[in-house]
Amino acid sequence: LVFSIVLYQTPESDLYNVLHSIEQFTSLVKIIFNHKLKVSTLLIDNHPSTKYSILNKHQYSFEFIYRKSSVNLGYGRGHNSNFDLIDDGNEFIFITLNPDVSFTPLGLKPLIEYAIDNLSSVSCLAPLAYLKDGSIQYSVKDNPTILSLFVSRFSISQRIPFLKSYYRKYI
């Protein structure tokens, strides 16, 4: 189980929160999965002068690799760079995380169990994500169109049943 995090001037408090979530999840993994899962975290920092003292202050129960990029690779290429580091010949679950998220260990458990049970048929899963106010954070599931961008930008247009239905399908 590999967590991938791309950093770019990330506040140290955000990094602490996400690493703390991974630490809690690692403790749960030892209990629920009977040490069958190895947990590691790959961090790539796209900013040349950022320093994170938290990486040196704490001992983590999971392996982590911190790398600094000489250029800003961007979010996608940063995760791809982390993905390229995995070459152990075993099956693995690769989890991309934004550095400003946190999660409860039990919240991730069903997703991991499903991924393990369906490794041969599943290539991508996404959890249900919530905003700080408790509302659902929808992720785009379809290629954006001009109409979907318009409807998402001007929520009043969702009062028209056809556009509301179109937008719900889009998200």
Side-chain angles (χ1 to χ4, degrees):
L1 184 65
V2 180
F3 290 97
S4 174
I5 302 172
V6 176
L7 306 170
Y8 185 83
Q9 294 183 324
T10 302
E12 191 141 2
S13 60
D14 286 354
L15 182 57
Y16 171 81
N17 288 336
V18 72
L19 292 176
H20 182 68
S21 292
I22 295 170
E23 182 73 31
Q24 289 180 317
F25 180 74
T26 302
S27 298
L28 182 72
V29 162
K30 291 176 182 175
I31 296 166
I32 292 178
F33 297 103
N34 298 322
H35 298 283
K36 292 179 184 173
L37 284 179
K38 175 186 170 192
V39 178
S40 61
T41 300
L42 303 174
L43 301 144
I44 186 160
D45 190 349
N46 280 335
H47 193 271
S49 61
T50 309
K51 291 184 174 39
Y52 295 103
S53 62
I54 189 168
L55 297 176
N56 300 322
K57 287 181 183 176
H58 297 282
Q59 292 293 328
Y60 297 99
S61 62
F62 56 90
E63 172 187 289
F64 77 89
I65 297 172
Y66 172 79
R67 300 177 302 132
K68 204 158 241 323
S69 177
S70 58
V71 295
N72 183 358
L73 298 174
Y75 185 77
R77 281 183 58 202
H79 284 299
N80 287 342
S81 174
N82 281 341
F83 188 85
D84 289 342
L85 289 179
I86 305 168
D87 187 28
D88 62 5
N90 295 319
E91 292 180 320
F92 61 89
I93 299 168
F94 188 79
I95 300 175
T96 60
L97 287 178
N98 285 358
D100 62 347
V101 301
S102 61
F103 56 90
T104 61
L106 285 174
L108 197 54
K109 179 183 173 270
L111 194 71
I112 300 303
E113 288 175 332
Y114 185 85
I116 290 170
D117 292 343
N118 298 282
L119 274 175
S120 62
S121 61
V122 172
S123 59
C124 183
L125 294 171
L128 181 59
Y130 295 94
L131 298 169
K132 289 183 179 183
D133 67 3
S135 62
I136 294 174
Q137 179 177 343
Y138 292 100
S139 60
V140 177
K141 294 184 166 101
D142 208 351
N143 289 329
T145 63
I146 290 176
L147 182 58
S148 64
L149 294 172
F150 173 81
V151 174
S152 67
R153 176 79 172 138
F154 301 103
S155 60
I156 194 166
S157 65
Q158 293 178 36
R159 292 183 181 174
I160 301 168
F162 165 75
L163 293 177
K164 182 177 182 177
S165 172
Y166 183 85
Y167 181 69
R168 292 219 178 257
K169 181 178 180 258
Y170 169 72
I171 59 168

